[in-house]
Amino acid sequence: MNVDASGGTVGKALDVLDRVAEFNRPVRFAELLAASPYPKGTLYRLMQTLTREGMLVFDPDRQSYSLGVRLVRLAHAAWRTSSLAPIARPHLDALAAETGETVHLAQLDQAQVLYVDKRNMAEPVEMYSSAGKVGPAYCTGVGKAMLAHLPEETLSQIMPLQLFHKFTEHTLTDEASLRAQLAEIRAHGYGFDREEHEPTIICVACPILSERGRVLGALSVTSTTARTNLAALEQLVPRIQQTTTAIAAEVQDWRFPDTVAQ
């Protein structure tokens, strides 16, 4: 790929890949051009380069582009080397079987939450989260559990990126309210989603921390107000913390080594 010294071409190419992915289907050049900030010639050159490199696939019959197999290979490599999911899998299975509730495993992706694995409750309930999806940090249990344990310098950089959109009547909509709740989470070691992202959906969440307290991810047990309540979920905290400790012990030495102090 032809890259300039500033990395501008790479940034544009990645932006094009993001835009193609957002369509969730094969997309025609004209559609992408209409949604793109780039001139026609620039976009065409980027698409041609990405296609040659296997990042995109062009279907001549339908005159459309879709994400390429090379991206799939890169995604699998990233999943194996940077995701908690492969190591955490048996721990999630055990926790879900024991509680009968939905279990989420998440990591921070910039200022948002990336759900990297999920186990559904015995009687699944439709909810936003699923493996591979990105969600808000400020109004989810896993998101707040991770934010609460970040160094202040990092948190101060992430906080302005929170949208504070009001999803439900319970959503926190300003930094002061969120920081007050994060202080409580730090003090107790766990936090809740009190129907803040989706109506009727509640959870208790604990961070997954390295020995030095670095945030590796978070784990939550999620249910609905029709099935249980926050007090009952809180009783599961010792079991969840046992799970997060086991995951951290297995993962940190070779996936997330503590080479630098926070």
Side-chain angles (χ1 to χ4, degrees), residues 38-87:
Y38 309 118
K40 182 177 181 180
T42 300
L43 181 62
Y44 180 78
R45 287 192 295 274
L46 289 168
M47 299 287 281
Q48 290 298 300
T49 301
L50 289 167
T51 302
R52 285 197 305 272
E53 295 293 334
M55 301 292 187
L56 291 177
V57 174
F58 179 67
D59 184 336
D61 295 327
R62 298 182 179 181
Q63 292 290 297
S64 63
Y65 294 86
S66 55
L67 297 180
V69 174
R70 187 174 181 182
L71 280 176
V72 176
R73 291 199 300 269
L74 290 172
H76 279 298
W79 189 263
R80 289 193 302 269
T81 59
S82 65
S83 171
L84 293 171
I87 289 176

Side-chain angles (χ1 to χ4, degrees), residues 8-237:
T9 302
V10 172
K12 291 175 183 177
L14 292 174
D15 179 59
V16 169
L17 290 174
D18 282 338
R19 292 175 185 275
V20 171
E22 286 171 359
F23 277 86
N24 290 312
R25 59 172 174 78
V27 57
R28 290 175 176 268
F29 180 83
E31 294 178 292
L32 196 60
L33 181 62
S36 168
Y38 309 118
K40 182 177 181 180
T42 300
L43 181 62
Y44 180 78
R45 287 192 295 274
L46 289 168
M47 299 287 281
Q48 290 298 300
T49 301
L50 289 167
T51 302
R52 285 197 305 272
E53 295 293 334
M55 301 292 187
L56 291 177
V57 174
F58 179 67
D59 184 336
D61 295 327
R62 298 182 179 181
Q63 292 290 297
S64 63
Y65 294 86
S66 55
L67 297 180
V69 174
R70 187 174 181 182
L71 280 176
V72 176
R73 291 199 300 269
L74 290 172
H76 279 298
W79 189 263
R80 289 193 302 269
T81 59
S82 65
S83 171
L84 293 171
I87 289 176
R89 184 176 295 116
H91 299 288
L92 267 62
D93 290 341
L95 185 60
E98 185 176 328
T99 64
E101 303 288 358
T102 297
V103 175
H104 291 113
L105 177 69
Q107 293 175 253
L108 277 178
D109 180 10
Q110 302 297 327
Q112 297 177 295
V113 165
L114 173 64
Y115 293 98
V116 296
D117 211 347
K118 176 182 181 179
R119 297 293 180 275
N120 284 316
M121 63 178 67
E123 298 176 6
V125 173
E126 184 176 350
M127 59 183 76
Y128 170 84
S129 58
S130 62
K133 268 196 173 182
V134 174
Y138 68 94
C139 60
T140 55
V142 286
K144 290 184 294 181
M146 289 186 284
L147 291 180
H149 291 82
L150 291 176
E152 177 55 37
E153 181 180 356
T154 306
L155 182 60
S156 295
Q157 294 171 352
I158 287 178
M159 196 64 76
L161 302 178
Q162 303 305 307
L163 298 178
F164 290 111
H165 172 74
K166 191 175 181 64
F167 289 97
T168 75
E169 62 178 323
H170 303 287
T171 307
L172 301 178
T173 56
D174 61 80
E175 181 176 339
S177 299
L178 176 58
R179 280 188 173 273
Q181 194 168 118
L182 296 182
E184 293 181 6
I185 294 171
R186 277 193 299 275
H188 294 94
Y190 60 92
F192 298 103
D193 177 346
R194 301 175 173 89
E195 300 182 74
E196 296 164 53
H197 188 209
E198 298 176 88
T200 77
I201 303 299
I202 56 176
C203 88
V204 61
C206 299
I208 301 172
L209 304 175
S210 73
E211 289 181 354
R212 289 182 171 174
R214 183 155 55 99
V215 175
L216 304 179
L219 192 67
S220 71
V221 172
T222 303
S223 191
T224 70
T225 53
R227 284 173 57 91
T228 187
N229 54 52
L230 292 174
L233 289 179
E234 189 173 18
Q235 297 302 308
L236 299 175
V237 167

